[in-house]
Amino acid sequence: MQLVDAELQESRQVLPGQWLQQYHAPALAVSARAGQFVHVRTGDWSGLVLRRPFTINTADPATGSISLHFREVGRGTAWLTHLRPGDQIDMLGPLGQGFAVDPRNRHLLLVAGGLGIADLRMLVDEALRDGRQVVLLYGCRDASEVYPSSLLPDEVEYVVATDDGSVGHHGFVTDLVLDYEAWADQAFACGPLPMLRTLAGLVAGRKGRLGVATLGRKRGGGRPVPLGSPAARKKAFLQVAMEQNMGCAVGACLGCVIWGVNGPQRVCREGPVFAFDEIDWEATAGVGTHTR
Amino acid sequence: MKAKKRVVTYGKAAPPSRGAAGGPVPNTRRTPTVRTIRSAIVEPRPASAQRPPSPATTPPVAGRARSAVDLSVDLGRGLVLRNPVLVASGTFGYGVEYADVVDVERLGAICCKGTTLRPRQGNRPPRVTETPAGMLNSIGLQNPGVDAVLERYAQQWAGWQVPVIVNVAGESIEDYVEVVRKLDLVPGIAGVELNISCPNVGKGGLQFAIDQEAAAAVTRAVRRATELPLIVKLSPNVADIRPIAAAIAGAGADALSAINTLSGMALRADRTGPFLGNTYGGLSGPAIKPVALRIVYEVAQVVGIPVIAIGGVTGLDDVLDYLAAGAVAVQVGTAIFADPTLPVRLVDQLGEECGRRGLASYRPLIGTALPNRPNAASAKGVEYRP
């Protein structure tokens, strides 16, 4: 974790209301892992007192640049869209625990709902770099919001679902998961809370439904690992990236908790990536909502 | 006045622990020792005599001679801070969270997260949201309990030069007393800040802050339980703060800190209900600075003990305002979230400001805005109250 001055290199609107900005921040680019985030300070003139957390969308250690993908939802993000190339902003990062891919796994299933793609985009790069196969399932409201495939590497199998059926599958992205879950070794998801809750429900019954999950394993599945430990995370079939309103983003203020099975979990410190069985899905109502 | 006072020593080699004969000696750098007090008034000294000469215990930053101005402040009962910029409870965790980006040793003191007798899970999320020039929080005193806090952090704190003041919260007087008893005589604990004013817990806490009898009772009970320097944090959610502040001062508090958050709320974006999981939250940030300034101004005129100002400090101007209104020190809170290095910068800026005005100490800045009266606000320890 460090405080850096990042220089805006490029800013463009990739989708209606959604921006992709590239910053020069070599310290972050070399140390960031997929799923981690930066805490960005907005301008003082606006009377905003909190930083804004953004997942690192991509990081390129070679050029020392990182990119952020965000939606303009309030005054803080509006301020960011008005920046010009060359402007410096203050970032704290990289923060949080990223995605933990089990090194033995070859087939990764990524499920993104809307802006959730911002959390998973860097995992695509990391997985392809490590020689894994990636299927990306993407769900959104209609054709106008579909994430451009030009922003994705060619090696990804990219499947789209829209709520109104204007492109791809007509329905929720979670409907597509059943086609791929037998193929997948591990799954990663980010998106609206109902989507994540549905996925967690699907995954909870997976072992029984597929009936092959324990083949080749010792009886009992080996040594038990405590819930929430790095080992348990890595073994979990589904990892989800959560979001919550945040204060300090370093674990001091306890403002960004979500309700886990073992009590409150800080999204900024224990998360933002959790194994699906760490979250108390019934109690996690209200996550990802904003006052404005 | 008692013949002997306990003095917490900072930056000086502590004498060998006399009580623990033969036993393993813990980290004794800041073990409270008993000795006759000479004078708790920190006299402005020439710059050459600013720090104790022992090179082994002199903090590494001293060599750079950051400022020749005397910024030290005595909060009473031997709690002498090297500078008057503290970090407010709840915004700095236990001092270790920001260690990567902040030189915590340069702070005046750290007020740690509110600590209760038993572990608390806190309120339902969401717990924070931004408001115009401020933020609402309803953490609900989530903490692992005093035993776990001491076990995890006390040893680390004992190794720091910066004093750590433990913020204590509870639901009953017995809770407060028991927590404070556990803190007493623990190396690494420099003082206690009583949180009698948390607006975010259903029962307990707040009721002590809004009633002068109850406030005095809890202060008196804690005072009897410990010799640690005792700071009591006032709530702004009252009609008139002055009788409460006076009662707390009369009950034996060494210092007051003002203010805690103001009770407030926010609605969901679709206006179907309250946004925060706890419905109500505490408002902090620049938005509450005028309220805090008023309360500091009022309190400083009715008590003779030091007042620590809290509320929307985001720059040197805010520090100077609070000093002028009668505070002897300030706590930085919400601003840390946006700018973690702000408290350390404020220390430097305050020193520079004093240097620019040709002051050897920042003390002449205190209370300049108060109406003239014989019994001026004190920057000294409680035992030197006239």
Side-chain angles (χ1 to χ4, degrees):
Chain A
M1 169 178 49
Q2 48 192 318
L3 274 169
V4 299
D5 281 327
E7 183 187 322
L8 182 66
Q9 292 176 318
E10 193 191 346
S11 174
R12 61 196 170 112
Q13 201 168 6
V14 287
L15 289 168
Q18 292 186 29
W19 294 71
L20 187 64
Q21 293 189 329
Q22 184 176 311
Y23 290 92
H24 185 67
L28 298 177
V30 295
S31 54
R33 305 290 316 278
Q36 290 188 303
F37 65 99
V38 288
H39 214 29
V40 176
R41 186 174 183 194
T42 57
D44 281 334
W45 56 270
S46 48
L48 306 175
V49 301
L50 295 179
R51 287 173 180 253
R52 267 59 180 163
F54 296 104
T55 310
I56 299 168
N57 186 55
T58 59
D60 187 350
T63 61
S65 62
I66 63 166
S67 68
L68 308 179
H69 178 189
F70 60 91
R71 192 196 303 272
E72 189 182 336
V73 291
R75 288 195 297 155
T77 42
W79 182 83
L80 282 174
T81 63
H82 293 136
L83 291 177
R84 292 280 169 267
D87 289 349
Q88 303 255 344
I89 61 170
D90 182 356
M91 290 186 183
L92 178 67
L95 299 163
Q97 311 296 322
F99 293 103
V101 181
D102 190 330
R104 293 170 299 187
N105 289 341
R106 314 308 309 160
H107 298 169
L108 305 190
L109 178 65
L110 275 48
V111 187
L115 199 61
I117 184 72
D119 284 53
L120 296 168
R121 180 62 186 80
M122 189 165 165
L123 184 62
V124 172
D125 289 345
E126 282 191 2
L128 294 175
R129 181 198 66 198
D130 296 342
R132 306 177 210 284
Q133 291 181 38
V134 177
V135 170
L136 173 62
L137 310 181
Y138 181 81
C140 59
R141 204 171 296 133
D142 55 43
S144 69
E145 295 188 356
V146 173
Y147 190 71
S149 57
S150 59
L151 292 174
L152 287 166
D154 294 340
E155 297 89 335
V156 180
E157 184 173 336
Y158 181 40
V159 186
V160 174
T162 49
D163 296 352
D164 64 355
S166 49
V167 177
H169 172 73
H170 185 174
F172 289 135
V173 67
T174 46
D175 304 341
L176 300 169
V177 171
L178 292 173
D179 300 342
Y180 292 91
E181 72 166 332
W183 168 85
D185 296 324
Q186 206 170 9
F188 304 88
C190 183
L193 190 66
M195 181 196 110
L196 298 179
R197 195 186 286 136
T198 308
L199 279 177
L202 285 173
V203 168
R206 174 176 176 269
K207 278 190 176 176
R209 201 167 51 251
L210 297 180
V212 293
T214 54
L215 274 185
R217 302 270 170 85
K218 275 186 292 185
R219 187 191 297 266
R223 205 155 34 86
V225 283
L227 195 67
S229 67
R233 289 251 172 102
K234 203 156 67 173
K235 279 188 177 176
F237 176 73
L238 174 65
Q239 292 171 19
V240 292
M242 307 295 287
E243 65 169 6
Q244 180 62 283
N245 277 16
M246 220 170 255
C248 68
V250 300
C253 74
L254 310 177
C256 63
V257 303
I258 54 170
W259 230 248
V261 178
N262 291 340
Q265 304 284 319
R266 296 171 292 185
V267 170
C268 68
R269 202 68 183 233
E270 282 86 33
V273 176
F274 294 91
F276 75 100
D277 49 359
E278 288 176 53
I279 311 283
D280 183 347
W281 292 103
E282 297 311 309
T284 316
V287 167
T289 53
H290 300 275
T291 40
R292 71 178 59 78
Chain B
M1 184 173 155
K2 291 177 192 167
K4 288 193 168 184
K5 291 282 176 187
R6 214 195 41 212
V7 174
V8 186
T9 58
Y10 309 114
K12 292 177 189 168
S17 174
R18 273 159 287 186
V25 181
N27 191 336
T28 53
R29 278 175 79 185
R30 277 193 26 231
T31 309
T33 57
V34 179
R35 64 176 187 188
T36 311
I37 200 158
R38 283 170 291 125
S39 167
I41 305 175
V42 184
E43 300 289 349
R45 281 168 290 180
S48 58
Q50 276 292 303
R51 297 197 178 275
S54 165
T57 52
T58 304
V61 292
R64 273 180 268 161
R66 278 177 198 274
S67 98
V69 179
D70 178 20
L71 295 179
S72 65
V73 52
D74 184 350
L75 296 179
R77 217 162 281 258
L79 179 58
V80 181
L81 314 184
R82 287 187 298 180
N83 64 66
V85 181
L86 297 79
V87 288
S89 171
T91 59
F92 213 70
Y94 296 94
V96 299
E97 286 83 355
Y98 275 112
D100 282 0
V101 291
V102 182
D103 184 3
V104 292
E105 299 277 8
R106 298 210 51 225
L107 299 168
I110 294 170
C111 296
C112 83
K113 173 76 191 152
T115 304
T116 53
L117 185 57
R118 279 173 285 276
R120 283 182 61 103
Q121 291 217 322
N123 291 329
R124 294 265 151 187
R127 290 176 173 181
V128 294
T129 184
E130 197 173 45
T131 60
M135 69 177 281
L136 283 166
N137 84 79
S138 65
I139 311 299
L141 291 173
Q142 181 186 338
N143 80 98
V146 63
D147 292 326
V149 168
L150 289 178
E151 189 188 322
R152 286 182 208 170
Y153 304 107
Q155 201 178 358
Q156 197 169 358
W157 290 343
W160 287 353
Q161 300 281 334
V162 57
V164 176
I165 296 165
V166 177
N167 185 287
V168 174
E171 291 176 0
S172 65
I173 291 182
E174 293 76 43
D175 280 6
Y176 283 102
V177 168
E178 204 166 327
V179 174
V180 170
R181 284 224 175 93
K182 285 171 187 280
L183 299 175
D184 203 19
L185 295 176
V186 175
I189 312 291
V192 170
E193 183 180 53
L194 278 198
N195 179 0
I196 58 169
S197 46
C198 183
N200 294 329
V201 288
K203 55 174 181 173
L206 191 54
Q207 83 228 17
F208 291 113
I210 58 177
D211 180 58
Q212 69 182 80
E213 246 99 88
V218 68
T219 308
R220 210 174 293 121
V222 170
R223 178 74 289 162
R224 260 187 255 121
T226 181
E227 280 290 301
L228 283 169
L230 175 61
I231 303 166
V232 180
K233 192 167 184 175
L234 301 175
S235 170
N237 303 309
V238 295
D240 186 358
I241 194 74
R242 284 168 290 193
I244 299 169
I248 292 171
D254 297 309
L256 298 173
S257 53
I259 57 177
N260 209 318
T261 52
L262 281 153
S263 186
M265 75 178 288
L267 299 182
R268 284 191 211 128
D270 55 7
R271 299 191 175 82
T272 55
F275 174 76
L276 296 170
N278 183 47
T279 304
Y280 306 111
L283 180 64
S284 63
I288 70 165
K289 189 196 154 191
V291 179
L293 194 63
R294 185 259 297 173
I295 289 180
V296 168
Y297 181 80
E298 287 179 350
V299 170
Q301 293 180 63
V302 296
V303 300
I305 57 177
V307 179
I308 304 165
I310 319 167
V313 174
T314 56
L316 182 65
D317 283 340
D318 301 320
V319 178
L320 296 176
D321 281 357
Y322 280 126
L323 293 178
V328 303
V330 297
Q331 292 185 11
V332 185
T334 306
I336 292 172
F337 296 154
D339 189 357
T341 59
L342 176 71
V344 172
R345 286 209 319 277
L346 287 178
V347 175
D348 293 337
Q349 289 173 5
L350 183 60
E352 286 161 18
E353 176 70 15
C354 292
R356 218 169 45 75
R357 299 190 188 194
L359 302 173
S361 156
Y362 82 103
R363 232 154 276 136
L365 303 174
I366 297 170
T368 54
L370 291 174
N372 288 333
R373 35 177 226 115
N375 195 10
S378 168
K380 301 190 290 281
V382 64
E383 50 275 86
Y384 295 91
R385 170 168 32 169

